[in-house]
């Protein structure tokens, strides 16, 4: 199996779907000639031509609104918003049309489309290039929201998102686009949307994270075991909505303790939903309050100090120890 | 030369065919056949009669809040007249006349505006989008549908209508730009009816005509007398033909007037003078067309009476059907959320809701599971 980074794996998913399905189109700012600012769409214009790979005018609402129209007309658009911080320019089209057209038309028009956007901190970027607001979309009925944490998963998850008959928000942790390589099979594979994955088995505490936070969380799990003899189970949430309550419940029922980790602001964030679901499904097994290690309820700081804002493995370890010693 | 005037590639024409006395410009008259003329006339009368009937129903508590289109019948029916069923129409919410021309049933429209979700069961055999209530937000969708026609190599076109208020929305500007850049087969109809609820056109924009925006986006524009059915049919046919033959988008401003309230919840006497309404009454699209039809012998008193009574009967039957259908269906509110299988958490919520629903319908409190 070839080894590749997440940027290449995403490119592979797009390329294979463009090749296998003539109704798949790619659109967005600079996705054509430029290949996207993160080069995720590199080479696609040359291979599939300007009717399938469309450089859009610089207008996010226009991109999402026209993509929904294309979906209504039977295409499967994969629309790129250059940074998740620019999705606010398209907020109304996402809420009013992307999330609603299937329901509004009582099933007549499917909105089989994907909105891809890089999200999250850690790349020393200017304002509006680092935030994590997946909670907006998880809070919007009618959408699905997924986030990969590595190359092989990114490819299979994007493949699944393109094949899903409903609109999918696909957030890409930009900090790890090129951070590491994994073996990715040539043959397409699909990761089922709605499922989480246990990425490390443990018995003493459950650590729940997704996206770029998986790596510090796994480091924390190593440290907990090596330094403190605590065996942590780590769950990669992957599907933000729908959320795999079953996997969360099974793990917490076993461990009795949990810490949830994400970059986005704490209040009303994804962590709050995870806590609520654990409360509803595994309350009787809990030995300690479920802790949240998250970003703060502030705007993402300028990059000279972003490392202090972002959750790190030490913060996860500290929270886990508190839960274990509760 | 360091400084000179540059002019846009596209120009804006103004078009009017019928005068207020119903006299047509012989050269510009599209010379529609008798049956078509009568069909259009009947559609205009039907749109107006439905408005009147539904306002009465609303006042009697038998209809929800809705947006009447009195005065805009020519603008609307003229717009969709030349569309094929396989073409796409993305209406704004004030589009009874156009929607009925396209095949939306009267009972369907009544269901919709009286708060029944079934009202959005879209008519089969035509490609129409359900409207969105948020101003202008359907216009990018229409543009995307048009762009898709190019990708798919069809010869279908898209027509969308919106108001003067919507012209200020970014969605409309973004759509005009996308359509022009992609040479999309779409016709944008701005029904400039003078008011966005209370805001008059001159406070909506500094320009004299919305059509002037067309050359700025790189497409042909036309300012049309929107109360002149012949002008509307001619202008939109030209734009639809151009779009179909690969000539790209057109922006048409249909200059008309909203003779009624914004919606049944609105009181227009607060913000506009009676004499303004009276001025526009003289330009009423139906009476102008009627004069034309009477003078040309297409219409006479007996045909007029017959059409009026046919329309009454059709609306009466539509209302009967609506009344038979008008039973709230609280069971299905979850069912169209996703095309795929319902996610487990939603299924659980649906079960919880159905239990509550059953209990409430039986007049009981919920018993714990």
């Amino acid at each position: 199996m070839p080894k590749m980074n997440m940027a290449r794996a995403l490119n592979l998913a797009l390329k294979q779907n463009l090749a296998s399905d003539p109704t798949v189109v790619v659109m967005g700012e600079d996705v054509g000639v430029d290949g996207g600012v993160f080069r995720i769409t590199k080479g696609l214009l040359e291979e599939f031509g300007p009717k399938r790979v469309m450089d859009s005018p610089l207008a996010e609402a226009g991109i999402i609104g026209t993509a929904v129209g294309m979906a209504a007309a039977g295409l499967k658009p994969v629309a790129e918003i250059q940074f998740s911080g620019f999705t606010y320019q398209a907020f109304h089209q996402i809420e009013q049309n992307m999330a609603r057209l299937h329901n509004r038309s009582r099933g007549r028009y499917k909105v089989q489309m994907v909105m891809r956007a890089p999200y999250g901190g850690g790349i020393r970027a200017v304002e509006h290039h680092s935030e994590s607001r997946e909670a907006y979309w998880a809070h919007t009925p009618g959408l699905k929201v997924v986030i990969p944490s590595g190359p092989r998963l990114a490819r299979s998850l994007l493949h699944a998102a393109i094949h899903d008959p409903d609109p999918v928000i696909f957030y890409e942790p930009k900090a790890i686009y090129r951070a590491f390589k994994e073996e990715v099979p040539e043959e397409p594979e699909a990761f089922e949307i709605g499922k989480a994955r246990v990425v490390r088995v443990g018995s003493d505490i459950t650590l729940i994270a997704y996206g770029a936070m998986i790596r510090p969380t796994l480091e924390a799990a190593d440290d907990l075991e090596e330094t403190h003899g605590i065996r942590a189970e780590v769950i990669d949430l992957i599907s933000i909505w729908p959320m795999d309550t079953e996997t969360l419940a099974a793990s917490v029922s076993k461990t009795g303790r949990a810490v949830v980790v994400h970059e986005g602001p704490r209040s009303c964030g994804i962590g709050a939903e995870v806590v609520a679901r654990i409360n509803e499904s595994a309350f009787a097994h809990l030995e300690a309050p479920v802790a949240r290690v998250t970003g703060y309820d502030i705007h993402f700081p300028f990059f000279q100090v972003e490392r202090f804002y972002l959750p790190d493995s030490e913060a996860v370890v500290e929270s886990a120890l508190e839960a274990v010693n509760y | 030369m360091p400084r000179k005037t540059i002019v846009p590639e596209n120009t804006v024409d103004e078009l009017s065919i019928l005068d207020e006395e119903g006299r047509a410009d012989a050269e510009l008259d599209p010379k529609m056949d008798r049956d078509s003329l009568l069909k259009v006339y009947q559609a205009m009368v039907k749109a107006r009669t439905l408005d009147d009937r539904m306002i009465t129903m609303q006042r009697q508590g038998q209809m929800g809040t809705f947006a009447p289109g009195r005065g805009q019948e020519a603008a609307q029916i003229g717009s969709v007249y030349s569309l094929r069923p396989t073409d796409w129409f993305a209406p704004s919410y004030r589009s009874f006349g156009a929607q009925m021309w396209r095949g939306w049933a009267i009972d369907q429209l009544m269901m919709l505006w009286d708060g029944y979700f079934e009202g959005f069961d879209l008519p089969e055999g035509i490609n129409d989008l359900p409207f969105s209530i948020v101003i202008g937000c359907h216009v990018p969708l229409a543009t995307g549908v048009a762009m898709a026609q190019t990708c798919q190599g069809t010869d279908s076109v898209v027509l969308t209508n919106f108001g003067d208020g919507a012209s200020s929305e970014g969605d409309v500007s973004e759509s005009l730009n996308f359509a022009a850049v992609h040479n999309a087969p779409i016709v944008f109809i701005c029904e400039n009816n003078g008011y966005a609820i209370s805001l008059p056109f001159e406070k909506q924009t500094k320009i004299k005509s919305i059509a002037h925006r067309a050359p700025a986006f790189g497409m042909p524009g036309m300012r049309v007398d929107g109360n002149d059915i012949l002008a509307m049919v001619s202008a939109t046919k030209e734009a639809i033909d151009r779009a179909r033959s690969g000539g790209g988008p057109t922006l048409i401003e249909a200059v008309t007037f909203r003779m009624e309230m914004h919606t049944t919840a609105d009181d227009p006497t607060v913000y506009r003078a009676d004499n303004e309404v009276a001025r526009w009454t003289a330009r009423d699209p139906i009476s102008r067309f009627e004069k034309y039809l009477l003078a040309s012998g297409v219409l006479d008193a007996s045909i007029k009476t017959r059409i009026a009574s046919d329309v009454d009967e059709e609306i009466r039957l539509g209302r009967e059907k609506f009344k038979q259908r008008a039973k709230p269906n609280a069971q299905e509110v979850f069912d169209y959320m996703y095309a795929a299988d319902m996610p487990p958490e939603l299924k659980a919520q649906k079960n919880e809701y159905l239990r509550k629903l059953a209990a409430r319908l039986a007049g009981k409190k919920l018993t714990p599971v």
Side-chain angles (χ1 to χ4, degrees):
Chain A
M1 275 194 278
K3 281 189 94 171
M4 60 183 77
N5 63 30
M6 196 172 82
R8 267 211 48 213
L10 289 164
N11 181 268
L12 178 67
L14 291 171
K15 192 171 157 173
Q16 288 183 328
N17 278 282
L18 280 162
S20 65
D21 183 348
T23 64
V24 172
V25 296
V26 165
M27 59 190 294
E29 294 156 10
D30 307 300
V31 300
V33 180
D34 191 48
V37 294
F38 287 103
R39 305 288 178 263
I40 307 301
T41 55
K42 191 178 164 193
L44 301 180
L45 173 68
E46 291 82 342
E47 193 167 345
F48 300 101
K51 280 189 181 174
R52 307 281 310 283
V53 181
M54 288 174 262
D55 268 323
S56 306
L58 208 163
E60 287 77 12
I63 292 168
I64 299 303
T66 55
V68 177
M70 287 181 193
L75 296 179
K76 300 185 186 87
V78 183
E80 174 177 312
I81 299 295
Q82 206 155 70
F83 284 89
S84 73
F86 307 166
T87 59
Y88 318 139
Q89 301 288 90
F91 203 110
H92 62 295
Q93 283 298 336
I94 299 169
E95 207 288 336
Q96 291 158 7
N97 287 324
M98 185 174 167
R100 286 178 187 256
L101 185 65
H102 180 268
N103 184 66
R104 185 187 293 140
S105 68
R106 294 172 60 81
R108 169 81 168 263
Y109 297 115
K110 271 196 304 189
V111 186
Q112 182 160 0
M113 65 172 281
V114 180
M115 182 187 89
R116 293 179 39 243
Y119 88 103
I123 64 155
R124 299 174 62 81
V126 292
E127 194 182 6
H128 273 310
H129 288 64
S130 300
E131 54 255 60
S132 304
R133 299 286 171 77
E134 56 280 7
Y136 288 144
W137 315 126
H139 197 69
T140 303
L143 301 174
K144 293 175 182 175
V145 186
V146 298
I147 301 180
S149 57
R152 185 168 182 175
L153 178 62
R155 187 282 195 89
S156 58
L157 196 58
L158 182 55
H159 184 81
I162 293 170
H163 284 256
D164 195 285
D166 292 302
V168 179
I169 304 284
F170 192 92
Y171 267 15
E172 299 167 2
K174 63 172 107 58
I176 58 167
Y177 269 142
R178 292 179 168 78
F180 59 99
K181 290 183 178 178
E182 278 176 358
E183 288 187 339
V184 177
E186 181 62 27
E187 200 56 32
E189 48 182 7
F191 187 86
E192 188 183 344
I193 292 176
K195 296 287 178 205
R197 188 153 73 178
V198 177
V199 290
R200 180 193 168 111
V201 178
S203 52
D204 301 330
I205 186 164
T206 304
L207 309 178
I208 303 143
Y210 53 90
M213 289 294 105
I214 287 294
R215 294 223 299 170
T217 304
L218 283 170
E219 278 170 34
D222 285 345
D223 188 30
L224 283 167
E225 177 142 21
E226 285 158 21
T227 316
H228 306 278
I230 295 166
R231 297 180 61 231
E233 180 145 300
V234 177
I235 294 177
D236 185 350
L237 200 56
I238 303 168
S239 186
I240 307 302
W241 206 97
M243 190 183 280
D244 185 355
T245 312
E246 214 175 294
T247 296
L248 296 177
S251 178
V252 178
S253 298
K254 180 175 70 178
T255 62
R257 294 175 168 84
V259 177
V260 54
V261 187
H262 62 67
E263 296 179 47
R266 182 170 307 161
S267 297
C268 306
I270 301 305
E273 181 62 27
V274 169
V275 171
R277 293 200 185 202
I278 291 172
N279 205 31
E280 287 159 3
S281 60
F283 182 74
H285 299 276
L286 282 177
E287 305 284 347
V290 181
R292 291 182 285 176
V293 178
T294 67
Y296 305 99
D297 295 343
I298 58 172
H299 292 297
F300 195 91
F302 274 52
F303 69 76
Q304 291 296 349
V305 295
E306 70 178 318
R307 68 184 187 279
F308 303 115
Y309 169 92
L310 288 167
D312 53 20
S313 61
E314 288 90 332
V316 179
V317 169
E318 284 157 16
S319 255
L321 289 176
E322 241 177 81
V324 169
N325 299 323
Y326 181 77
Chain B
M1 290 235 290
R3 176 173 174 162
K4 61 180 181 178
T5 299
I6 53 169
V7 284
E9 280 175 39
N10 293 287
T11 51
V12 177
D13 287 349
E14 187 161 37
L15 180 69
S16 168
I17 298 176
L18 274 182
D19 70 12
E20 288 186 11
E21 297 312 312
R23 288 178 299 244
D25 182 303
E27 222 168 282
L28 294 172
D29 189 332
K31 299 186 179 65
M32 295 154 70
D33 63 49
R34 184 174 184 277
D35 285 353
S36 304
L37 288 167
L38 285 176
K39 203 177 156 207
V40 167
Y41 172 73
Q42 180 154 346
M44 291 169 72
V45 172
K46 186 164 88 177
R48 179 160 305 182
T49 313
L50 179 66
D51 258 3
D52 291 348
R53 209 56 45 85
M54 279 177 60
I55 291 174
T56 308
M57 289 166 74
Q58 197 277 336
R59 297 305 187 228
Q60 292 168 341
Q62 298 169 25
M63 181 51 59
T65 298
F66 77 100
R70 189 186 186 89
Q72 297 174 228
E73 294 87 351
Q76 295 193 352
I77 293 159
S79 290
V80 291
Y81 176 80
S82 302
L83 287 180
R84 297 174 183 166
T86 46
D87 288 333
W88 292 71
F89 176 46
S92 75
Y93 55 72
R94 195 189 310 280
S95 298
F96 281 179
Q99 285 174 294
M100 287 193 291
W101 182 271
R102 290 285 289 170
W104 292 60
I106 289 168
D107 58 296
Q108 204 64 16
L109 293 169
M110 288 183 173
M111 290 290 283
L112 190 53
W113 288 101
D114 200 35
Y116 297 92
F117 188 22
E118 297 93 315
F120 264 152
D121 276 331
L122 299 161
E124 290 299 325
I126 52 165
N127 287 322
D128 283 18
L129 291 174
F131 55 75
S132 144
I133 292 293
V134 181
I135 299 296
C137 101
H138 64 295
V139 184
L141 251 73
T143 307
V145 172
M147 289 162 66
Q149 304 313 308
T150 312
C151 295
Q152 293 162 321
T154 79
D155 69 345
S156 294
V157 307
V158 182
L159 186 136
T160 185
N161 63 340
F162 51 88
D164 43 306
S167 76
S168 294
E169 292 279 6
D171 273 346
V172 170
S173 291
E174 292 186 25
S175 298
L176 291 167
N177 188 44
F178 271 63
V181 167
H182 287 272
N183 201 43
I186 181 167
V187 180
F188 298 97
I189 308 278
C190 178
E191 287 176 42
N192 178 356
N193 68 9
Y195 284 87
I197 304 189
S198 67
L199 196 75
F201 181 64
E202 56 275 18
K203 287 191 179 169
Q204 193 67 247
T205 173
K206 180 76 174 168
I207 53 174
K208 295 277 184 265
S209 167
I210 294 293
H212 280 141
R213 293 205 180 138
F217 283 101
M219 69 177 78
M222 201 182 259
R223 178 175 163 91
V224 182
D225 181 344
N227 283 16
D228 171 351
I229 183 71
L230 300 184
M232 283 304 299
V233 166
S234 294
T236 49
K237 183 172 187 310
E238 183 182 314
I240 289 167
D241 289 350
R242 177 165 44 237
R244 205 183 303 286
S245 60
T250 303
L251 171 61
I252 291 173
E253 178 187 23
V255 183
T256 181
F257 191 73
R258 194 191 79 214
M259 291 170 78
E260 275 290 358
M261 61 290 265
H262 159 64
T263 69
T264 46
D266 172 45
D267 174 10
T269 62
V270 172
Y271 52 81
R272 70 185 186 192
D274 290 346
N275 61 4
E276 189 183 1
V277 181
R279 257 202 325 278
W280 279 91
T281 306
R283 312 189 63 218
D284 185 297
I286 296 184
S287 60
R288 276 162 81 182
F289 190 36
E290 230 174 67
K291 286 175 193 162
Y292 168 81
L293 295 174
L294 287 166
S296 54
V298 172
L299 190 69
D300 61 24
S302 75
I303 301 174
K304 190 179 159 181
T305 311
R306 180 180 56 74
I307 286 177
S309 79
D310 284 357
V311 161
D312 277 343
E313 182 60 7
E314 198 183 339
I315 293 173
R316 191 187 67 76
L317 290 172
R319 187 179 171 178
E320 282 306 309
K321 198 168 172 197
F322 157 66
K323 280 183 166 171
Q324 284 162 16
R325 290 180 64 195
K327 293 177 183 63
N329 177 2
Q331 306 285 333
E332 58 162 21
V333 293
F334 284 72
D335 295 352
Y336 296 103
M337 286 304 299
Y338 291 92
D341 288 344
M342 203 178 279
E345 51 266 75
L346 203 57
K347 228 178 266 176
Q349 288 178 30
K350 182 181 174 182
N351 290 337
E352 173 194 321
Y353 166 81
L354 289 178
R355 275 187 65 238
K356 181 177 93 175
L357 180 68
R360 294 295 182 273
L361 290 176
K364 291 179 191 158
K365 284 191 165 42
L366 271 182
T367 44
V369 181

